[in-house]
């Protein structure tokens, strides 16, 4: 059975690679590379997989899921400039793709011992743009 929990957080970022010139960054990322950066109201859907407990009928305690998401994602990322305040984005370009991978990396150990395992994260950068990552 799959269970998905959604949370939201706001963060700013600048898409720029230290390996590229300013001109190359601008050609690649466009306005996303502007020096001042910009922000998004991200929506994150975290999907867990497991079997309902025969006694409780739940795959996992949703209060605990919310607590993990608040601690591992919202607290370190909400209202932060990702490039300056959240590792590894001081050296990794904070694209939606890289952000989804990092969120998955932070959450996977939290759910590794069960009863539900992390299946995927889906990160909405805007209403019509999202990335989904299932880990490797």
């Amino acid at each position: 059975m799959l269970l998905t929990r959604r949370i939201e957080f706001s963060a700013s970022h600048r898409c720029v690679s230290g390996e590229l010139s300013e001109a190359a960054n601008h050609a690649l990322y466009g306005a996303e590379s502007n020096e001042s950066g910009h922000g998004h109201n991200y929506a994150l859907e975290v999907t867990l997989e497991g079997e309902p407990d025969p006694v409780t009928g739940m795959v996992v305690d949703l209060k605990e899921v919310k607590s993990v998401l608040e601690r591992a994602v919202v607290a370190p990322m909400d209202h932060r400039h990702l490039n300056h305040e959240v590792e590894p984005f001081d050296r990794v370009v904070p694209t939606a793709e890289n952000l989804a991978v990092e969120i998955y990396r932070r959450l996977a150990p939290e759910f590794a011992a069960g009863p539900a395992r992390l299946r995927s994260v889906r990160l909405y950068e805007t209403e019509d743009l999202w990335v989904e990552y299932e880990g490797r």
Side-chain angles (χ1 to χ4, degrees), residues 44 89 94-107 120-123 130-135:
L44 174 67
F89 301 113
T95 60
E97 296 91 335
N98 286 336
L99 192 52
V101 170
E102 176 62 17
I103 290 170
Y104 188 98
R105 186 194 68 75
R106 290 174 183 228
L107 293 177
S120 65
V121 298
R122 178 181 281 188
L123 182 69
W130 69 88
V131 61
E132 188 165 352
Y133 183 69
E134 294 185 2

Side-chain angles (χ1 to χ4, degrees), residues 6-49:
R6 182 181 176 106
I7 61 164
E8 296 178 359
F9 65 97
S10 299
S12 61
H13 69 143
R14 179 180 182 221
C15 289
V16 61
S17 171
E19 297 181 27
L20 301 174
S21 68
E22 280 296 317
N25 274 305
H26 186 71
L28 180 62
Y29 297 112
E32 299 275 317
S33 71
N34 288 342
E35 193 169 320
S36 60
H38 63 281
H40 295 284
N41 294 318
Y42 292 98
L44 174 67
E45 294 176 353
V46 175
T47 300
L48 304 171
E49 181 175 20

Side-chain angles (χ1 to χ4, degrees), residues 1-7 45-53 56-71 107 111 114-117:
M1 182 171 287
L2 302 178
L3 175 83
T4 301
R5 175 76 190 210
R6 182 181 176 106
I7 61 164
E45 294 176 353
V46 175
T47 300
L48 304 171
E49 181 175 20
E51 294 301 320
D53 181 275
T56 67
M58 299 186 303
V59 172
V60 65
D61 183 342
L62 294 176
K63 292 183 300 293
E64 183 59 30
V65 174
K66 182 179 180 181
S67 176
V68 167
L69 297 179
E70 292 283 339
R71 181 178 66 251
L107 293 177
F111 297 105
R117 295 162 308 286

